[in-house]
């Protein structure tokens, strides 16, 4: 499942083409993806202008001039192709994003195509491809977006300054659940996923198995560990976004391999390899927590 940095990277790749563009024509090539498309999906899109392209957690949000928001989720295998010009099937189309597994360009899985007219009059197309069809698109009135079931219970965005040691300690106070499970709880922090939680915990030298409530001291103050963890989360996410975004800005690559952060993993998918913390002689271990692989160093992560 793409995580927050991958979704933000996709947003940055799509925004220069989509923002300010008018949807001249929309193609819906099947009745559903994970969910049915909303009634009148194509008609409600055509003729509208995309005012802005944002993100909330792992959702992409296209604000339309109709006062509706096109909500898009990549699911397991979804991706977008950006086609400059009129040919939506161009072989050199850019696929924004840096994913652990290669994204499909098989036209049999092109389920939605948005044909755009950019502000300068130039044509472009956005093609949504999804072999496993776990992604989805829907339309929600802007005025009711925050109250919609997709968004009503989402927690704090982790890239903002609000995520600090004091906030983590307060959010996790009294919780006996493992720290990793608490970090993955979307009702507390929105958008964090398995990969970057593993990386952040490694950087903060915190065990994924320790109780989340241990981030607050007996006197009720945030521990030093809480501050380290908050900084690690913000840093690892920012670095991952920058890794993809810096390549996307000049559209230098067209093969979908945009960015390099995956080569910087210190814990994730490094089972049996030496810990990279200076002076640590530990080995990265793999443990299964709630059905997900956790990668950590038992020596320095306490």
């Amino acid at each position: 499942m793409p995580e927050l940095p991958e979704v933000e990277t996709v947003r940055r790749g799509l925004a220069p083409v989509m923002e300010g563009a008018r949807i001249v024509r929309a193609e819906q090539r099947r009745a559903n993806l994970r969910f049915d498309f909303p009634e009148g999906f194509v008609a409600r899109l055509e003729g509208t202008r995309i005012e802005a392209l944002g993100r909330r957690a792992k959702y992409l949000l296209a604000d339309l001039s109709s006062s509706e928001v096109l909500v898009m989720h990549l699911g397991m295998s979804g991706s977008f192709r950006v086609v400059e010009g009129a040919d939506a099937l161009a072989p050199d189309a850019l696929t924004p994003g840096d994913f652990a597994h290669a994204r499909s360009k098989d036209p049999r899985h092109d389920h939605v195509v948005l044909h755009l007219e950019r502000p300068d009059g130039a044509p472009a197309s956005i093609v949504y491809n999804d072999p496993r069809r776990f992604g989805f698109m829907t339309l929600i009135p802007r005025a009711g977006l925050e109250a919609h079931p997709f968004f009503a219970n989402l927690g704090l965005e982790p890239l903002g300054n609000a995520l600090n040691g004091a906030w983590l300690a307060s959010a996790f106070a009294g919780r006996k659940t493992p720290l990793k499970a608490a970090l993955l709880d979307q009702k507390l922090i929105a958008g964090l996923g398995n990969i970057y939680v593993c990386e952040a915990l490694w950087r903060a030298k915190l065990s994924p198995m320790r109780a989340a409530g241990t981030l607050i001291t007996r006197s009720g103050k945030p521990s030093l560990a809480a501050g380290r963890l908050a900084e690690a989360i913000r840093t690892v996410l920012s670095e991952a976004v920058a890794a993809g975004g810096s390549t996307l800005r000049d559209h230098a690559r067209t093969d979908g391999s945009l960015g390099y952060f995956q080569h910087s993993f210190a814990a994730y998918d490094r089972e049996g390899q030496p810990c990279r913390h200076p002076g640590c002689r530990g080995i990265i271990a793999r443990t299964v927590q709630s059905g997900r692989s956790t990668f950590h160093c038992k020596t320095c992560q306490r």
Side-chain angles (χ1 to χ4, degrees):
M1 180 73 73
E3 298 191 21
L4 187 153
E6 287 73 50
V7 178
E8 176 61 19
T9 297
V10 171
R11 188 198 67 79
R12 293 184 181 193
L14 294 176
V17 179
M18 294 182 71
E19 291 186 332
R22 185 170 67 91
I23 302 175
V24 177
R25 183 164 63 93
E27 296 182 54
Q28 175 194 325
R29 297 180 175 176
R30 56 178 298 114
N32 56 38
L33 292 170
R34 189 195 313 180
F35 310 123
D36 289 344
F37 285 96
E39 185 175 354
F41 181 68
V42 167
R44 289 158 68 183
L45 289 176
E46 291 182 341
T48 64
R49 189 171 301 279
I50 301 169
E51 306 288 359
L53 185 66
R55 178 193 56 77
R56 177 71 168 108
K58 301 177 186 179
Y59 297 91
L60 292 168
L61 308 175
D63 273 283
L64 305 178
S65 58
S66 61
S67 297
E68 289 192 300
V69 178
L70 173 59
V71 177
M72 300 167 281
H73 195 287
L74 295 171
M76 296 290 290
S77 62
S79 64
F80 290 92
R81 292 202 307 278
V82 178
V83 184
E84 304 277 3
D87 185 3
L89 299 179
D92 60 345
L94 171 69
T95 303
D98 175 25
F99 301 96
H101 302 285
R103 279 353 216 190
S104 168
K105 292 186 180 181
D106 187 336
R108 293 176 299 177
H109 305 303
D110 291 346
H111 303 309
V112 177
V113 183
L114 303 179
H115 299 276
L116 308 178
E117 180 184 62
R118 301 179 68 178
D120 62 0
S125 296
I126 303 295
V127 184
Y128 180 70
N129 183 291
D130 192 348
R132 300 181 69 181
R133 302 195 303 274
F134 287 162
F136 63 87
M137 294 186 188
T138 192
L139 289 162
I140 301 173
R142 162 49 70 183
L145 190 69
E146 293 303 320
H148 190 277
F150 288 156
F151 302 100
N153 295 315
L154 284 180
L156 185 73
E157 282 285 331
L159 283 173
N161 292 331
L163 181 67
N164 54 34
W167 187 92
L168 279 178
S170 175
F172 293 168
R175 291 180 179 265
K176 297 181 180 180
T177 185
L179 185 54
K180 184 187 175 189
L183 290 170
L184 290 173
D185 185 345
Q186 299 300 296
K187 294 181 180 180
L188 296 175
I189 303 176
L192 278 184
N194 191 40
I195 292 175
Y196 295 102
V197 167
C198 287
E199 291 297 302
L201 287 170
W202 179 85
R203 291 190 183 205
K205 294 186 176 181
L206 295 175
S207 169
M209 272 73 79
R210 72 182 287 172
T214 59
L215 293 186
I216 190 168
T217 65
R218 292 182 179 179
S219 63
K221 295 181 179 180
S223 66
L224 294 177
R228 292 202 314 270
L229 179 57
E231 182 178 0
I233 291 170
R234 292 197 310 270
T235 300
V236 74
L237 291 178
S238 296
E239 288 179 3
V241 170
S246 60
T247 306
L248 280 171
R249 276 195 288 274
D250 61 11
H251 288 196
R253 298 185 186 179
T254 58
D255 63 357
S257 58
L258 306 166
Y260 49 83
F261 190 81
Q262 71 275 17
H263 302 301
S264 301
F265 288 155
Y268 185 78
D269 205 26
R270 294 191 65 246
E271 180 183 8
Q273 299 183 44
C275 177
R276 290 178 175 174
H277 277 304
C280 180
R281 297 184 179 181
I283 301 295
I284 298 297
R286 174 182 173 272
T287 304
V288 177
Q289 287 182 286
S290 302
R292 298 183 182 184
S293 293
T294 294
F295 297 92
H296 62 114
C297 175
K298 295 181 180 180
T299 300
C300 67
Q301 288 183 246
R302 301 300 180 100

